[in-house]
Amino acid sequence: MEYSGDEYDIIVVGAGIMGSSTAYQTSKRSQKTLLLEQFDFLHHRGSSHGESRTIRATYPEDYYTPLVMESYKLWQQAESEIGYNVYFKAHQLDMAPANDKVLHAVVESCRKNSVAFRVMNRDQMDQEFSGRVMIPEDWVGVVTEHGGVIKPTKAVSMFQTLALQNGAVLRDNMEVKGVERDRVRGGVWVCTANGERFWGKKCVVTVGAWTTKLVKTVGGVELPIQPLETTVCYWRIKEGHEGGFAIGGDFPTFASYGNPYIYGTPSLEYPGLIKVAVHGGYPCDPDNRPWGPGNPLAPLKEWIEGRFSGVVDSGGPVATQLCMYSMTPDEDFVIDFLGGEFGKDVVVGGGFSGHGFKMSPVVGRILADLALTGEAQGVELKHFRIARFQENPKGNAKHFL
Ligand SMILES: Cc1cc2nc3c(=O)[nH]c(=O)nc-3n(C[C@H](O)[C@H](O)[C@H](O)COP(=O)(O)OP(=O)(O)OC[C@H]3O[C@@H](n4cnc5c(N)ncnc54)[C@H](O)[C@@H]3O)c2cc1C
């Protein structure tokens, strides 16, 4: 193995949104930072590519809302540093049967976190959205101001550009094969497939759907993070109705609870099309992707027909994209030290379970805090600890399920 001679305060492995946000944070704090990516930068084979991600503060777990609220500020801060926008504001609409336990937990969480919300019945919803969103008689909608869309590929590029401007070194097509403890002077050696070796005081591992594989190789730790392949679907808005579903007006980002959980964003990236998709997917090996068949379409067609009063064509999506989730059993993140022989020198951020993008600025801030100071300022991380799976293989208990 060839020693490149380069030494770093922090080596970040994986340049999706979490690694890029972390490298931005550490470089901003004047730490000599190296960001390594196995594929081309901004590739489409992980979880952070594409045109839109929802940001919302409505979580049944009350510990996510403060992370989202901090992220709003951090998104704005990064936007002001780079000079362009990645976040586009909208309201958020959550809808479900009136007796749905998850929706009740969301309302409780909003109350606890002082997030203003309005609960609407079918008639009020009809009025609020001028007939564009119809819910069944026994359903309710919850509207908050804290919604919106983030452009993912543009956001990854933003953090990478800012990290570069702050002096970070970014290298792509550098697959990390191992991380080893330096037993002589402390710190770690990070070894890549092309035979290079880099020394770092600390290492942050943010490798998305590859987390289970790499963490097992590096630390012998079995993490229950299951990669899923999932499908994003775009549907045509019927002629004459496009404006009513466009971002920038009063049409919200939205989520519909139940099985399946369906979510979507106003028309933005492809004018005249609206994104409506199912949260979930089928297990996959990130190194041997099936690239299909895609999520079943029948529930989406039925949902679109019922909710959008026939003005969105429910015959089938006109465009689809594949992407990967990294699912934990409880759908809570993994943010922790790897431990073992690495102690606090290796930090892992993974298992973002299909809902991490919105919080990537605060996740980067927390991962940087953990690596640089050994603790995260002002955040309770107990729900994100690796040890929770030893106590219960299913992870955190959820009172609303
Ligand atoms: C279709 C879809 C819709 C989503 N919608 C939302 C949403 O609306 N709101 C929301 O908040 N979140 C959403 N998410 C989730 C969010 O996008 C993810 O949580 C987030 O992108 C995860 O980022 P990551 O950096 O952990 O993973 P990734 O983006 O996969 O990044 C990991 C990187 O590590 C690299 N890597 C892996 N192994 C190695 C190695 N050995 N050496 C070097 N590099 C390596 C990979 O190539 C990859 O680039 C969605 C996800 C998908 C797929």
Side-chain angles (χ1 to χ4, degrees):
M1 285 258 176
E2 178 191 333
Y3 172 39
S4 69
D6 293 335
E7 302 192 345
Y8 295 89
D9 295 316
I10 300 277
I11 300 177
V12 181
V13 183
I17 192 64
M18 300 306 177
S20 302
S21 160
T22 305
Y24 156 68
Q25 282 283 339
T26 55
S27 59
K28 195 174 171 173
R29 299 182 208 180
S30 304
Q31 301 298 306
K32 195 174 172 200
T33 301
L34 172 65
L35 176 62
L36 296 173
E37 166 57 44
Q38 65 178 346
F39 301 139
D40 285 339
F41 287 130
L42 307 180
H43 66 87
H44 285 208
R45 293 163 66 181
S47 303
S48 300
H49 60 283
E51 303 299 329
S52 60
R53 294 288 187 273
T54 302
I55 181 164
R56 61 183 158 85
T58 43
Y59 266 90
E61 300 94 342
D62 56 21
Y63 41 91
Y64 283 110
T65 305
L67 300 180
V68 176
M69 298 314 260
E70 183 178 340
S71 291
Y72 275 111
K73 290 190 194 136
L74 294 175
W75 281 118
Q76 278 168 2
Q77 197 176 326
E79 283 182 329
S80 70
E81 288 172 28
I82 197 85
Y84 54 70
N85 292 333
V86 297
Y87 162 62
F88 298 82
K89 191 169 170 42
H91 286 179
Q92 168 71 16
L93 165 65
D94 295 86
M95 53 193 126
N99 62 359
D100 186 90
K101 283 186 185 166
V102 180
L103 195 69
H104 282 260
V106 164
V107 165
E108 270 317 300
S109 164
C110 284
R111 275 204 189 99
K112 185 173 169 193
N113 286 296
S114 306
V115 171
F117 64 91
R118 287 179 294 143
V119 181
M120 283 178 278
N121 63 24
R122 178 194 166 106
D123 292 343
Q124 290 163 326
M125 283 268 296
D126 191 18
Q127 212 173 354
E128 176 87 8
F129 296 109
S130 321
R132 282 164 298 169
V133 189
M134 299 297 295
I135 51 171
E137 191 71 52
D138 58 344
W139 281 42
V140 291
V142 174
V143 175
T144 73
E145 280 191 8
H146 304 286
V149 179
I150 299 158
K151 292 206 159 193
T153 301
K154 194 177 178 190
V156 175
S157 167
M158 172 183 76
F159 283 130
Q160 291 178 358
T161 306
L162 289 172
L164 259 175
Q165 287 174 359
N166 293 337
V169 175
L170 276 64
R171 303 269 311 264
D172 67 355
N173 294 299
M174 294 287 277
E175 184 192 357
V176 169
K177 284 297 212 186
V179 181
E180 293 159 12
R181 177 128 207 85
D182 185 330
R183 292 177 201 287
V184 181
R185 57 173 177 155
V188 295
W189 287 100
V190 175
C191 315
T192 56
N194 68 349
E196 288 190 64
R197 274 159 62 87
F198 304 92
W199 186 88
K201 280 187 200 152
K202 306 279 175 172
C203 177
V204 178
V205 176
T206 46
V207 291
W210 289 264
T211 304
T212 305
K213 285 188 182 188
L214 190 61
V215 163
K216 180 145 193 237
T217 308
V218 170
V221 176
E222 292 270 4
L223 284 178
I225 299 178
Q226 173 65 56
L228 301 183
E229 191 171 82
T230 187
T231 325
V232 178
C233 298
Y234 290 93
W235 308 75
R236 192 180 303 285
I237 304 160
K238 290 188 181 163
E239 210 175 326
H241 297 278
E242 296 91 338
F245 291 86
I247 192 110
D250 61 353
F251 197 75
T253 43
F254 55 90
S256 175
Y257 298 1
N259 192 8
Y261 175 105
I262 290 170
Y263 68 96
T265 49
S267 180
L268 169 65
E269 53 268 42
Y270 305 120
L273 305 186
I274 183 167
K275 184 176 92 177
V276 187
V278 166
H279 174 70
Y282 40 93
C284 72
D285 175 351
D287 292 314
N288 187 16
R289 290 273 296 275
W291 298 108
N295 291 345
L297 293 173
L300 279 173
K301 291 181 181 181
E302 191 186 327
W303 190 91
I304 289 170
E305 194 57 37
R307 297 295 88 75
F308 291 149
S309 322
V311 298
V312 173
D313 186 345
S314 60
V318 290
T320 59
Q321 287 171 356
L322 293 169
C323 189
M324 278 191 297
Y325 283 176
S326 303
M327 302 301 284
T328 59
D330 52 16
E331 301 196 14
D332 283 327
F333 306 160
V334 169
I335 299 177
D336 204 352
F337 301 107
L338 183 55
E341 64 167 336
F342 293 102
K344 292 189 169 184
D345 286 350
V346 175
V347 183
V348 179
F352 293 101
S353 302
H355 66 104
F357 206 97
K358 64 181 79 59
M359 287 171 266
S360 55
V362 75
V363 170
R365 191 275 283 173
I366 291 168
L367 292 171
D369 279 357
L370 289 177
L372 298 176
T373 70
E375 58 186 17
Q377 288 293 315
V379 194
E380 171 57 77
L381 292 179
K382 71 175 179 197
H383 299 102
F384 308 137
R385 295 284 182 214
I386 293 172
R388 72 184 192 266
F389 300 117
Q390 280 138 29
E391 288 146 24
N392 178 357
K394 291 186 178 162
N396 299 315
K398 307 274 164 127
H399 70 277
F400 47 82
L401 292 179

